[in-house]
Amino acid sequence: MNQLSQPKALSPTCPEPIKHGWLRNDWLELSFLHWPYDPETIQALLPEGLTVDLHDGQAWVSLVPFQMRRAGPTWLPPIPYVSNFSETNVRTYVIDSAGNRAVWFLSLDCVRLLVVAFARWTIGFPYFWADMDVQFAGRRRRYITTKRRWPRTPAASTTISIDVGDQIKANDLDLFLTARWGTVAASLGRLWFHAVDHEPWTLHDAAIVELSDTAMTAPGLPSPVGAPLVRWAQPVHARFARPVRV
């Protein structure tokens, strides 16, 4: 599809801070596993209206497990149990018709059925109700996602263990993969941009100890090739603006 607007510049800080968010999330213990992909392969999975974003001619897909805290509308206090949960998502990087350089989710696994139902029916994100556990031991982080309960297909599971290393200075590729100040979702036959605002990412190098995953291939991707680029992020406090049509 032809792009209607020039892609906006990438920035390590939010270029348009959100004054009145409608949703809030705190993201903790977040790990990024990034792989390069053929652009045509990714474009084939995108809806009309989105163009795959490229870095040095390559598309990228990321496997991202983390913990969510204080999730919910900004005008309500966090709800015990419901507002705190673990999640694993598979995401890629796109440009919408307004030039927003955004995240497009291929899947999101979450342990809270209420969150899954709200996100699927209200926002349009492809959430799955699944079992997940996050474990800590020193610098080691272990994420286990199993047994999709609803929807049950396509089935997927993930086990990731990493050792967190030293804080790093983000390079151009890190910026491309993390400086995404919004997501795009499909709802009611239309695309909607959800702007997000949070502190700049503070990234650490990390090393894979264990990796077994089928969430990457469940949406229709071929298996990733080679070792991923791995990062661990310090916590951020995010706010989302109300979605706008693009």
Side-chain angles (χ1 to χ4, degrees):
M1 176 180 176
N2 292 329
Q3 220 37 61
L4 299 183
S5 299
Q6 288 295 318
K8 297 179 180 179
L10 293 171
S11 169
T13 58
C14 183
E16 299 178 8
I18 296 170
K19 295 181 179 179
H20 304 291
W22 80 292
L23 291 176
R24 68 165 179 274
N25 302 154
D26 293 348
W27 303 334
L28 290 75
E29 298 298 345
L30 187 148
S31 294
F32 292 105
L33 283 69
H34 307 291
W35 284 271
Y37 269 84
D38 173 69
E40 293 184 1
T41 298
I42 305 305
Q43 187 65 50
L45 296 178
L46 301 180
E48 180 78 12
L50 296 180
T51 301
V52 61
D53 202 357
L54 306 180
H55 185 273
D56 288 341
Q58 290 182 312
W60 286 80
V61 179
S62 305
L63 182 63
V64 185
F66 66 105
Q67 292 182 318
M68 192 91 78
R69 294 291 181 266
R70 300 178 63 253
T74 55
W75 62 88
L76 291 177
I79 303 172
Y81 181 77
V82 174
S83 294
N84 302 321
F85 51 90
S86 301
E87 180 177 309
T88 299
N89 63 62
V90 178
R91 68 188 225 179
T92 191
Y93 306 93
V94 299
I95 305 167
D96 67 23
S97 60
N100 297 305
R101 304 180 78 166
V103 167
W104 173 259
F105 291 110
L106 297 170
S107 69
L108 307 97
D109 288 292
C110 171
V111 298
R112 298 285 183 263
L113 177 58
L114 182 62
V115 173
V116 171
F118 170 80
R120 289 187 75 96
W121 294 334
T122 304
I123 304 176
F125 288 153
Y127 265 91
F128 293 81
W129 182 30
D131 292 337
M132 186 173 177
D133 185 35
V134 181
Q135 304 168 359
F136 314 94
R139 286 181 170 265
R140 183 154 298 178
R141 305 291 184 268
R142 192 165 193 254
Y143 310 87
I144 305 171
T145 307
T146 59
K147 195 179 181 180
R148 283 182 172 173
R149 298 175 179 272
W150 179 80
R152 293 187 177 183
T153 56
S157 62
T158 302
T159 300
I160 301 167
S161 293
I162 68 164
D163 283 343
V164 178
D166 295 334
Q167 183 177 331
I168 63 169
K169 181 179 179 180
N171 58 30
D172 288 345
L173 180 55
D174 290 316
L175 182 67
F176 174 87
L177 294 166
T178 61
R180 299 285 161 162
W181 303 106
T183 67
V184 180
S187 180
L188 303 175
R190 300 173 178 175
L191 293 177
W192 302 85
F193 176 71
H194 302 249
V196 65
D197 181 9
H198 57 73
E199 304 93 330
W201 291 105
T202 300
L203 300 176
H204 289 241
D205 195 10
I208 288 287
V209 177
E210 178 185 11
L211 175 59
S212 175
D213 173 71
T214 58
M216 292 280 289
T217 56
L221 287 170
S223 296
V225 176
L229 173 67
V230 186
R231 300 287 190 252
W232 179 86
Q234 294 185 19
V236 297
H237 310 284
R239 292 190 304 170
F240 284 82
R242 290 188 178 276
V244 294
R245 186 180 175 185
V246 289

